Every structure is written in C-alpha cells, then in structure tokens.
Amino acid sequence: MTREELKSAAVAMLDRAYVPYSHFPVGAALECQDGTVFTGCNIENAAYGPTLCAERTAVVKAVSEGHRDFRRIVIAGRSEDFCVPCGVCRQVLTEFAPHMEIICLNARGEELCLPLDQLLPHGFGPQYLLDR
Ligand code: THU
C-alpha cells in the first residue's frame, strides 16, 4: 500500500468510530513490515474507562492475527490539530516497534510525521523484563 493509500484507509475508518460521548472520531491504519494493513477506530463505552483508542484497536487486530512487526501507523482525526497518540497507545506500540513511524493527520489531511521513540523517549520496553 502506498503512503497515500494508507492515509485513505485511516481516514475511511473515521466513519466506523463509535463515539457517542466525545464526538471525537479517530481512524487508524497500521502497516506491518510485510505490508499487511490493519485498520482501527475508537470504540467508546458508557463506563468511559473501557474506551479503546483507534490505534489500540488496530494493534489488537494485528497481534491477534499473528502480526507483531510494525512499520508505520497513520492516525486520522477531524480536528484542526494533528491527532497524536495518547500515552497509553504510545506505550502499547513501543512494546512491538519502538522505532516505527507515526503519521498524524488533521482534518485537512496535513501530516505530522515522527518516529515513535521521539514521542516516547526512554520508553519502558520488553528488554527491561526479558534481559534479566
Ligand atoms: N482517541 C483515540 O482514539 N486516539 C488518540 O490518539 C487520541 C484519543 C480517542 C479516545 C476517545 O474515544 C476520544 O478519542 C477522545 O479522547
């Protein structure tokens, strides 16, 4: 998938977002190293806490289908600001691909592109537990 196609896949997911409380839809398209793409949207909950961000929806789909090597993710929002991943999503992505590319889109389709290790410097990763 080209970068533009990946961006379109993330934007398309905005319509699948279940956001009755925040009215803040987010769409995501996660590309694996082998080119496989998993999409996601945010899924809110009346109890608020169980709300899933779009990025984590995509990660859960990928990992549960046997994919752990991520290359990049596009995160699309409908606001003026770039839709940057929350702290929890940064941590979840770091588990699998600390150097992956994060492409954040705003409503105009403009992008802010950063490596994950710049968004989450010195992230706590598996090496802290597995290298002992
Ligand atoms: N949200 C995401 O899906 N991804 C982000 O990167 C930021 C926040 C969702 C969670 C919630 O449904 C709504 O946006 C408002 O916080």
Side-chain angles (χ1 to χ4, degrees):
M1 210 180 249
T2 66
R3 191 184 182 87
E4 287 309 309
E5 286 169 340
L6 195 66
K7 284 162 70 172
S8 297
V11 170
M13 290 305 288
L14 287 165
D15 291 331
R16 297 256 176 96
Y18 175 71
V19 289
Y21 311 109
S22 73
H23 305 287
F24 188 87
V26 182
L30 175 67
E31 186 181 64
C32 304
Q33 292 289 0
D34 70 357
T36 311
V37 171
F38 292 91
T39 55
C41 62
N42 49 339
I43 304 169
E44 298 188 341
N45 188 276
Y48 291 15
T51 290
L52 270 176
C53 289
E55 301 91 313
R56 271 179 291 141
T57 302
V59 169
V60 165
K61 287 168 70 176
V63 175
S64 61
E65 294 296 325
H67 292 262
R68 297 178 185 169
D69 295 327
F70 307 148
R71 183 188 296 153
R72 55 187 177 175
I73 187 169
V74 177
I75 307 163
R78 282 205 178 117
S79 66
E80 286 289 303
D81 298 311
F82 293 109
C83 194
V84 293
C86 78
V88 171
C89 289
R90 293 177 198 199
Q91 180 65 32
V92 168
L93 290 166
T94 288
E95 179 76 17
F96 301 104
H99 310 296
M100 70 183 292
E101 190 180 9
I102 310 290
I103 303 162
C104 308
L105 303 182
N106 64 12
R108 288 189 237 171
E110 296 162 336
E111 59 176 80
L112 172 71
C113 185
L114 292 165
L116 178 54
D117 45 19
Q118 206 166 311
L119 284 168
L120 187 65
H122 304 290
F124 187 84
Q127 70 274 18
Y128 289 89
L129 298 175
L130 301 178
D131 290 355
R132 298 192 305 150

